[in-house]
Amino acid sequence: SDLDRCNQTARELGLERTALVSNIQTAIDGIGRAAGFADLAALVEWSAGEHSPDEVARVDAAAAAAPSLQAATATATTARDLVRLLGAIWTDQAAAPDGCRRIRTLMGQQLTRHRIASGFDRSVKVAAKSGGLAGLYRHEAGVVEFPGGDRYRLAVLTKTRPGHAGDHAINAAIGHAARTAVDQLRG
């Protein structure tokens, strides 16, 4: 299966704590099912209506308990594995050189600058990939390159509690953490 091939490639690249257990559609539909709906679309449709605070809290708690959001049963990785993967991509070890070059190009075209890139001025090139799930997880992994060519691989992973609405603060914290880490490495 595709998942088996992806997991085999992860092992071959030395990604020791990375495991894919489903595709993203299956994972997000599982959140809807855990909350008592047919899929995520049905949960989103329900959420657009008027509901008591108790109903919303009950549905939010059930959704947050979905297997696809639990470390023991979800697709998972670590910051260390993401940084290792970035190294393999930047050195053409993750795939054929043309494939790695394509990934680097796509990551370099990311339009948003609200996570890792927010920690750096515009003279620093940032090639990154953001990820998030169910408002609970906000992550970004990327490579920052300073004028002169110094390059650093980063991954910042966050988790919040259900109902937390601090997207801007979390994104800013990701940028701050990235900048702090690079400043430490640069001495």
Side-chain angles (χ1 to χ4, degrees), residues 2-20:
D2 289 342
L3 286 175
D4 291 337
R5 284 192 299 277
C6 288
N7 283 314
Q8 178 62 34
T9 298
R11 286 188 298 278
E12 290 168 2
L13 292 172
L15 310 182
E16 299 168 359
R17 306 271 317 266
T18 297
L20 284 79

Side-chain angles (χ1 to χ4, degrees), residues 29-30 32-43:
D29 282 342
R33 284 190 297 280
F37 299 89
D39 54 23
L40 186 67
L43 170 57

Side-chain angles (χ1 to χ4, degrees), residues 152-164:
Y152 300 88
R153 296 172 279 143
L154 307 159
V156 182
L157 312 178
T158 69
K159 180 181 179 187
T160 60
R161 64 188 177 283
H164 180 72

Side-chain angles (χ1 to χ4, degrees), residues 36-144:
F37 299 89
D39 54 23
L40 186 67
L43 170 57
V44 170
E45 184 178 325
W46 176 87
S47 297
E50 294 287 325
H51 307 286
S52 74
D54 286 344
E55 285 178 294
V56 171
R58 180 187 55 75
V59 168
D60 284 351
S68 59
L69 296 174
Q70 307 310 308
T73 53
T75 289
T77 192
T78 64
R80 181 183 309 266
D81 276 4
L82 288 172
V83 168
R84 184 173 285 138
L85 177 58
L86 290 169
I89 293 167
W90 257 254
T91 60
D92 294 337
Q93 303 301 307
D98 285 346
C100 288
R101 187 172 24 266
R102 178 77 174 134
I103 294 167
R104 292 189 301 266
T105 298
L106 290 170
M107 289 177 68
Q109 294 172 345
Q110 180 168 332
L111 298 176
T112 61
R113 292 188 56 88
H114 62 280
R115 290 189 180 165
I116 287 174
S118 71
F120 302 91
D121 66 43
R122 293 262 179 199
S123 71
V124 177
K125 293 179 189 174
V126 178
K129 173 63 180 99
S130 294
L133 188 58
L136 298 174
Y137 299 94
R138 288 172 193 82
H139 308 327
E140 189 160 84
V143 174
V144 297

